[in-house]
Amino acid sequence: MDNAGTPEKPSETTPKSPLPMDDIPVAQREGQEVAPKPQTNIVLLIGSLAALGIAALAAGSFMALRIQQPQTDTLAMESPAATAQPSQAGSPTAAPNAETLLGHFAYPAAPQAELAPIVADGSIKMRKAAAQAYREMTAAAQQEGISLVPISGFRSLEDQKYLYFDVKADRNQNATERAKVSAPPGYSEHHTGYAVDIGDGNTPALNLSPDFDKTAAYRWLKDNANRYSFELSFTKNNRQGVSYEPWHWRYVGDIQSLKTFYKARGQK
C-alpha cells in the first residue's frame, strides 16, 4: 500500500514548541506568575539566626563559668587568707619572738644607780621600788611572827657567770643540768634587780631547798606576797623546765617590772 498519502506521525523526541504567550488563556497566565516572597520570611530568618547566636553565646559563657569555678574554688581552698577578710575586732596579735637559752629568758641588767639596799649592811640590793616593797613585806610578816630573810637579790653578770660556769665545772654538770638551777649570765632574773631569794629565819635548814614550801615563811608568802606585788617565779612543772624554787620571788609592782618579765614571754 502506498503510504505517500498517509500523514507522517510526528517524532516523540521532537520538542513541542511552546505556545506563544498570546495563545495562553489569561486565567492560566495569571496563575503561573511567580508570587514575590513576603518580607516577613527574611525578618523571621534573621531573627532565628540572631536567637541561635545568642543561645550559643550564652551556652559558651555558661560552660566557661563552669570550667573556671573549680579553679577558683581550688585557689580559695589553697589560699584562704586571700579571700577571707580578717576581723578587726578581737584579732590576735602576733607575739614577739622571745629570746631564750636553756629555758631562761634574756633580761636587761639593772643600772647600779637604780639599786637600793634591803639589808642593813647594804650587801643585798634590789631596784628601788622593789626594795621598798620588800621592806614593807618583811615588816608586815615580822608583826605576825614570821621571819623573812633575804638570801640573794641583785647579781651582776660577773656574779652570774661564776654561779653558772664555775659551779657547773666544780659539780661536773652539763649545761642543761646546770641551767635547771642557775641561769646563764644575761638570762637570770636576779640581774634585773627585781628578784629575791627568801629564806625562813626560824627554819634556816630548809633555805634554798624545795622543802622551803613546808616552812611558815613560805605559807605566809603564798597568802600575802601578792599584796606587795611579789610572785613566785618558778612553780612546780613550769613551762621553762627550771627546777621548782619556792624561795625565788620577783617584784611586778610597776610598769617597768611588768614589761621586763611579761614582754619577755610574749605576753602583753
Side-chain angles (χ1 to χ4, degrees):
M1 179 182 289
D2 188 1
N3 292 330
T6 304
E8 188 174 355
K9 187 177 181 181
S11 172
E12 294 180 357
T13 60
T14 302
K16 295 180 180 180
S17 299
L19 293 175
M21 198 68 174
D22 292 340
D23 292 338
I24 300 174
V26 175
Q28 293 183 13
R29 275 187 283 149
E30 291 178 353
Q32 290 180 358
E33 290 182 358
V34 179
K37 294 183 179 179
Q39 295 295 325
T40 55
N41 292 341
I42 299 176
V43 174
L44 288 174
L45 179 60
I46 295 174
S48 299
L49 292 175
L52 289 174
I54 293 173
L57 180 61
S61 300
F62 176 75
M63 291 301 295
L65 288 174
R66 290 294 299 274
I67 293 173
Q68 186 178 5
Q69 186 63 34
Q71 297 176 353
T72 304
D73 293 343
T74 301
L75 292 174
M77 292 176 64
E78 293 176 350
S79 304
T83 56
Q85 297 296 325
S87 173
Q88 297 297 325
S91 299
T93 303
N97 293 327
E99 181 185 349
T100 61
L101 180 63
L102 298 172
H104 294 273
F105 294 91
Y107 299 111
Q112 289 290 331
E114 289 293 320
L115 300 176
I118 60 174
V119 293
D121 63 3
S123 60
I124 302 177
K125 298 179 180 180
M126 298 183 72
R127 291 217 189 204
K128 293 177 180 178
Q132 177 65 28
Y134 180 81
R135 288 192 293 266
E136 293 175 359
M137 183 171 67
T138 56
Q142 188 67 44
Q143 290 180 358
E144 299 182 31
I146 304 299
S147 177
L148 300 182
V149 178
I151 299 172
S152 179
F154 169 79
R155 295 178 194 157
S156 68
L157 294 177
E158 286 299 319
D159 292 338
Q160 198 65 29
K161 180 180 178 181
Y162 166 78
L163 289 174
Y164 182 78
F165 289 108
D166 293 357
V167 174
K168 179 176 79 69
D170 290 342
R171 297 182 180 179
N172 194 27
Q173 295 175 315
N174 62 40
T176 302
E177 289 173 336
R178 186 59 191 159
K180 290 180 179 180
V181 295
S182 186
Y187 294 80
S188 172
E189 291 187 352
H190 279 283
H191 75 259
T192 68
Y194 293 119
V196 59
D197 292 337
I198 302 174
D200 188 330
N202 297 322
T203 318
L206 297 181
N207 291 350
L208 302 180
S209 164
D211 288 335
F212 175 72
D213 62 7
K214 296 180 175 61
T215 66
Y218 175 82
R219 290 191 295 269
W220 190 92
L221 287 168
K222 184 179 179 181
D223 294 337
N224 297 279
N226 286 337
R227 301 178 189 275
Y228 303 92
S229 298
F230 282 89
E231 64 183 18
L232 191 64
S233 294
F234 304 114
T235 59
K236 290 182 178 179
N237 302 315
N238 59 81
R239 293 183 178 181
Q240 291 177 241
V242 178
S243 297
Y244 172 49
E245 296 185 356
W247 63 87
H248 182 109
W249 297 75
R250 65 188 179 204
Y251 176 77
V252 287
D254 60 15
I255 190 64
Q256 184 61 38
S257 59
L258 284 175
K259 287 181 178 180
T260 298
F261 296 114
Y262 285 93
K263 271 197 168 183
R265 289 157 172 74
Q267 296 172 276
K268 297 184 177 182

